[in-house]
Structures are given as C-alpha cells and as structure tokens.
Amino acid sequence: MCRLRTSQACNARGTSKSMAIAVGVGVGEWAWWLALTLGAVPLLCLAVWHSADAWYHAAFFLRHGGRRRLPPGHMGLPFLGETLSFVWHFKLARRPDDFIAAKRRAHGSGAGIYRTHLFGSPAVIACSPAANKFVFQSADNFGIRWPVPELIGHKSMVNVEGASHARLRGIILTAINRPSSLRTIAAVVQPRVVAALAAWADMGTIVASTEIKKVTFANIFKMFISMEPSPLTEQIDQWFGSLMAGLRAFPLDFPGTTFHHARKCRRKLNAVFRHELEARKKVDKKCDDLMSGLMCTEDEQGKRLSDEEVVDNMVNLVVAGYESTASAIMWATYHLAKSPAALAKLREENVAVSESKGGSLMITHDDLPRMKYTAKVVEETIRMANVAPMVHRVANRDVEYGGYTIPAGWPVLVWVRSLHTDPVYYQDPLTFNPDRWDKPVKPGTYQAFGGGYRICAGNMLAKLQITIMLHHLSIGYEWELLNPDAKINYLPHPRPLDGAAMTFRKLRA
C-alpha cells in the first residue's frame, strides 16, 4: 500500500513536471511568435512605405546613373502615393498649409521643389517664388497637364499649346478683358446684383456661398451664353459643381466615385453646349455674348474654331469665371464680417464714390481707379481665399533646377497657396489686412492668377465682379455671421462648413 501511494505520488509529481514543461514550451512559443509579429509588422510596414520611393529611385538610376538626383521628398504608398496625406491635411485636419510645411521640416527648404505622388502620378511640387517663377516662365520646359484633361476639355485654352493657345487666348482676352468689354460687362451684371441683394435682405438670413453662387452663375451665363435663369440652368449649376469636385478627386473611374460622377456631368454639359451651338447655326442666331464670339472669330487664315473647341472653351471659361469668382466674393463677405474696421473703410470710400455720381447706385469701369481701398480689399480677399491652391504643369523634357532633375513626363504642381500663407512673405498671413497692400509685395510672392505667358486671361473680369459686389454690399447692407468660428473645408474649394450662413439686412440710416 505504501509503495502504491509512493508510486502515485511520484506519478503525480512527474505529471506536474511534464505539465509545467509543456506550459513553459507553450509560453515560449507564444512569446516567440509575439516577438516575431511585433518585429515583423513594423518592418513590413516600413518596407511597404519605402517601396514606391525605392521603385522610382531605381528607375531614375537606371536611366541616369549616379549623375543626377531626384528632388527631395517621398513618393508615399504604392498606387495611392501621398493622396491620403493630402486628404488628411486638407479635409480631415483642416490644416492645408501643414502639407507643405511637413515637407520643409523633413527635407529642408532647399531649392523649393519636392518629389511626391499625387492624383495618380509621380509629380514634383514647386513651392517657392523662384521655383514657381522658373516653371511659369519656362514655356519650352513645361507644358500644361491637368490630372484629367477631359474634365476641362482637351481643346480648351488651358490644355492646348503653341499657336493654338495664342489664338484662343487672343480671342478670349478681346471678349472679356479689354476696357470696352469690361464697361459693357459692368453695365450688364449690376441690375441682377442689385436685385439679388434686395432679395437677400427680404429673406433676413442667407447661406452666402449658395446665394452668391446663384447670382454669379446667372450673370456668367448671361454674359457668356445669353441664358436666363431656368430649371435647366439650375441643373447645369449642379453639373458644374460635380465637375469641380472631380478635378481634385483621386482618378478612380467606377460607379459611386466622385471622379466617375464628374465624367458623367462633363458629358451632360457637352450635350447642353452642343445643343445650343447647333441651334445657333440653324437659325443663324447672333448673340452679343462670348459663345457667339468664339463661333464667329476667324484667325489670320480665315479659319474658325471647331465645334469641339467652342464647347471645350465654354465649359472651361464658365468654370474659371463662375466658381472661383463666387468663392472669392463669399470670402470677402466672410472676412469683412469679422473685420469691422476694414468694412467701415470700404463703406466710406464707396459711399463717397456714389455721392460723387449724384447718389447713383451703379458704378462703371471708369470709377475703378478712384476705389483704391476697395482694390486692396479685393487683392487681400484673393490672397487669402486661395481658390486654386495649385497650378498644373508637366515637364516636357528632363529639366535641371537647383541641383535636381525633374524627370520628363512628370507633372509639376506649382503650389501657389504656400506663398500666400507664408509668414516669411506676409506678416500674420492668416489675418485679413487690406492695408498690407499699401506697400508692394515681395516679387514673386503673389501668384493667385498664375504667371508667365499663361497668366489667367480672366483676371480683370474676376476683379471687376468682386468690386461690383463689394460696392453694392457696402453702400446698402450690413451682415453678421451666424457662426464666426465655423470650421473650414478645403476641398474642392475652401469654404466654411455652414457656407458662411449670416443675417443680412438693409443698412440702417
């Protein structure tokens, strides 16, 4: 019996020891796998993060050897590039200037150019006065390339080069930027502006971005296509909004994506403009508007624009003349609501102009030279609005700049926003201060309309429309933001999340 008990005790001790060994082995295996996982996952993530950069470096080395260098920067994730970082800074964190600031911290300011991968392609960002000027003024080295040219139009002025560009630019400048054209435009747009402001006062509360877009769109369509507001123009307005959203969306073309919807809306816009074009041909309809000007103008050889050229340029010009101008006007009302001293100066000047004309509400193009403070408000609004934060170019050949090579075929993103919000060039850059324009800005630091031979053809038209709206707002109305601290959304264009909702009323006597 004793031997049996002893045997059982020994067996129990042996079993316990075996179990302990087994548990120890199990724990050891788990610890080994855990260590492997914790070590491998970061290494794998690191490998994925650098794989795209390594790929482009290898391709560049095979082509050029060790003689040349890519600009500093990083290509981001495979396929996605730095799109997620771009969206994070512009849409989620709502700190768009940190996108470039992060590159400067990581890679230094240097030549003011960085490699990246955005909008589905490897690219170089230019973000210094000297680098931007170099790109803008080097017509032989850099051509035009929007991320998806078809959205703007293959035959539009912003997508063609050489003689075709010069021809189209001449036609458009004649139609909208010469003094006689601006005089006519000033007379045409003001009645609608006056009526719109009176209607806003009757409403009492408005969403400024919505109401300003309505009146700006109606005026642009009147000037460009002789169309009055209707259910069709309301639909066209929505299509243009979706088109604009697609311009900076990731180019994924399948149902449900912003880009896919933008392409559908572009086809619908093509159909509307082609229908109008054909109608004018059939009845020999001559309208005193931009569309007829494009249809009828001949070059030195007597050649007229093709139907495709007319349609593409009409779509492009509406985008340029409507969305950006409406956004700038909205930001003017926003900043003036938060800057009572600036609004008081603006009101004083415009009341004086009105009284000098016998109390006339209407201003003319010839009144603009006297409206010096208004001009400063316009420039400061445009600087801070940054409606187009970047301008698209493409390297026609391998281009050397600042000791680096910009590879042929790579898009070049001229990041103008980074200049307008840099404290090196503008004191307290995010503060609305029209008086900063009492002194000339540093050369090359104000590029809201681009630069070089492709500077925006409609810059004078845009400033005129903003000036007209500011004149009528300041002499007759007052407004207050409902939420002065509303967050800002920066894609596809900067705007307060509430659309700058405000109370709006006639100015008290």
Side-chain angles (χ1 to χ4, degrees):
M1 180 67 71
C2 292
R3 286 198 299 270
L4 178 59
R5 289 175 181 173
T6 302
S7 176
Q8 289 175 340
C10 291
N11 290 338
R13 286 196 298 271
T15 301
S16 298
K17 187 176 181 179
S18 298
M19 290 176 63
I21 293 172
V23 169
V25 171
V27 170
E29 289 178 351
W30 276 106
W32 185 86
W33 282 109
L34 182 62
L36 179 63
T37 301
L38 292 176
V41 169
L43 288 174
L44 179 61
C45 292
L46 197 63
V48 171
W49 173 245
H50 288 291
S51 61
D53 214 48
W55 170 266
Y56 284 105
H57 264 101
F60 186 81
F61 181 82
L62 289 175
R63 182 177 178 185
H64 299 290
R67 303 184 308 277
R68 299 180 180 180
R69 295 184 297 165
L70 281 172
H74 197 275
M75 307 305 290
L77 294 169
F79 181 65
L80 292 174
E82 291 196 297
T83 299
L84 296 181
S85 176
F86 175 79
V87 171
W88 166 259
H89 285 99
F90 273 74
K91 195 163 187 175
L92 301 178
R94 306 184 198 282
R95 301 181 63 175
D97 299 314
D98 284 357
F99 183 74
I100 295 298
K103 296 185 179 302
R104 288 174 174 158
R105 288 194 300 270
H107 309 290
S109 55
I113 59 174
Y114 303 95
R115 70 177 180 272
T116 185
H117 193 291
L118 281 176
F119 310 116
S121 173
V124 168
I125 291 174
C127 54
S128 73
N132 291 14
K133 180 180 178 180
F134 175 73
V135 175
F136 280 140
Q137 297 188 355
S138 302
D140 293 336
N141 289 329
F142 301 100
I144 288 292
R145 178 181 292 176
W146 284 78
V148 186
E150 71 174 272
L151 291 183
I152 291 295
H154 290 286
K155 298 291 186 179
S156 70
M157 183 179 67
V158 299
N159 273 327
V160 296
E161 304 277 2
S164 296
H165 173 261
R167 173 179 171 230
L168 284 169
R169 185 177 177 84
I171 292 171
I172 292 165
L173 283 173
T174 298
I176 63 176
N177 255 13
R178 63 182 180 179
S180 60
S181 299
L182 293 171
R183 289 189 184 94
T184 300
I185 290 169
V188 169
V189 304
Q190 287 186 82
R192 201 184 305 273
V193 169
V194 170
L197 297 184
W200 298 356
D202 290 338
M203 294 165 63
T205 302
I206 65 168
V207 176
S209 63
T210 300
E211 298 303 325
I212 291 170
K213 281 182 66 176
K214 287 180 182 178
V215 67
T216 306
F217 185 78
N219 273 328
I220 286 292
F221 254 59
K222 178 64 177 177
M223 288 186 289
F224 288 6
I225 316 172
S226 297
M227 279 189 180
E228 295 292 344
S230 68
L232 174 60
T233 60
E234 291 179 6
Q235 183 64 70
I236 292 172
D237 185 6
Q238 294 178 18
W239 292 337
F240 269 109
S242 297
L243 175 66
M244 291 300 301
L247 288 175
R248 293 190 177 94
F250 195 83
L252 290 176
D253 189 14
F254 56 80
T257 63
T258 300
F259 177 71
H260 181 81
H261 185 58
R263 292 190 68 194
K264 288 177 62 177
C265 290
R266 175 59 210 245
R267 290 193 290 270
K268 292 175 181 177
L269 290 170
N270 286 349
V272 169
F273 283 107
R274 283 190 175 276
H275 181 269
E276 176 65 18
L277 187 149
E278 294 299 329
R280 295 188 183 203
K281 285 182 180 179
K282 289 177 181 178
V283 299
D284 195 27
K285 181 182 177 182
K286 303 297 181 184
C287 299
D288 186 18
D289 59 24
L290 182 58
M291 187 172 212
S292 287
L294 292 178
M295 291 174 64
C296 299
T297 302
E298 298 178 348
D299 61 17
E300 295 177 353
Q301 288 74 41
K303 181 181 177 182
R304 294 186 177 184
L305 297 180
S306 67
D307 290 354
E308 184 181 2
E309 287 177 307
V310 172
V311 170
D312 278 359
N313 281 283
M314 288 307 304
V315 172
N316 169 55
L317 288 167
V318 171
V319 167
Y322 149 56
E323 186 78 29
S324 57
T325 302
S327 181
I329 293 171
M330 182 273 295
W331 280 112
T333 65
Y334 175 91
H335 289 302
L336 288 168
K338 301 177 74 171
S339 308
L343 178 56
K345 290 182 181 180
L346 178 72
R347 183 167 285 137
E348 180 181 6
E349 178 177 86
N350 281 269
V351 168
V353 169
S354 179
E355 290 176 347
S356 72
K357 297 165 65 70
S360 172
L361 291 177
M362 304 298 174
I363 58 172
T364 68
H365 180 260
D366 298 324
D367 292 321
L368 301 188
R370 293 189 292 157
M371 302 169 68
K372 298 186 183 301
Y373 189 77
T374 307
K376 292 192 293 184
V377 172
V378 171
E379 298 292 4
E380 182 70 346
T381 296
I382 293 171
R383 179 191 72 84
M384 291 194 67
N386 286 302
V387 176
M390 70 197 79
V391 179
H392 298 268
R393 294 290 187 266
V394 63
N396 294 330
R397 56 177 67 89
D398 286 344
V399 180
E400 299 297 318
Y401 180 77
Y404 301 102
T405 299
I406 302 173
W410 280 31
V412 178
L413 308 175
V414 186
W415 216 276
V416 297
R417 179 187 172 91
S418 64
L419 306 183
H420 302 157
T421 59
D422 193 329
V424 173
Y425 310 126
Y426 297 94
Q427 185 177 4
D428 297 325
L430 300 183
T431 298
F432 184 76
N433 178 20
D435 287 326
R436 75 170 77 246
W437 295 89
D438 287 337
K439 299 179 181 178
V441 298
K442 295 179 181 179
T445 62
Y446 183 57
Q447 300 175 345
F449 294 102
Y453 73 107
R454 282 186 174 272
I455 193 168
C456 177
N459 58 350
M460 297 305 296
L461 174 59
K463 291 181 180 181
L464 175 64
Q465 291 186 86
I466 300 169
T467 300
I468 287 172
M469 184 65 83
L470 289 176
H471 172 73
H472 291 285
L473 281 167
S474 63
I475 66 173
Y477 299 91
E478 56 187 357
W479 58 97
E480 296 176 4
L481 295 171
L482 294 180
N483 184 7
D485 299 317
K487 292 183 178 180
I488 309 299
N489 198 359
Y490 292 93
L491 291 178
H493 286 306
R495 73 187 282 271
L497 285 181
D498 67 350
M502 60 179 63
T503 59
F504 193 88
R505 56 186 174 270
K506 288 185 178 180
L507 188 63
R508 296 185 181 93

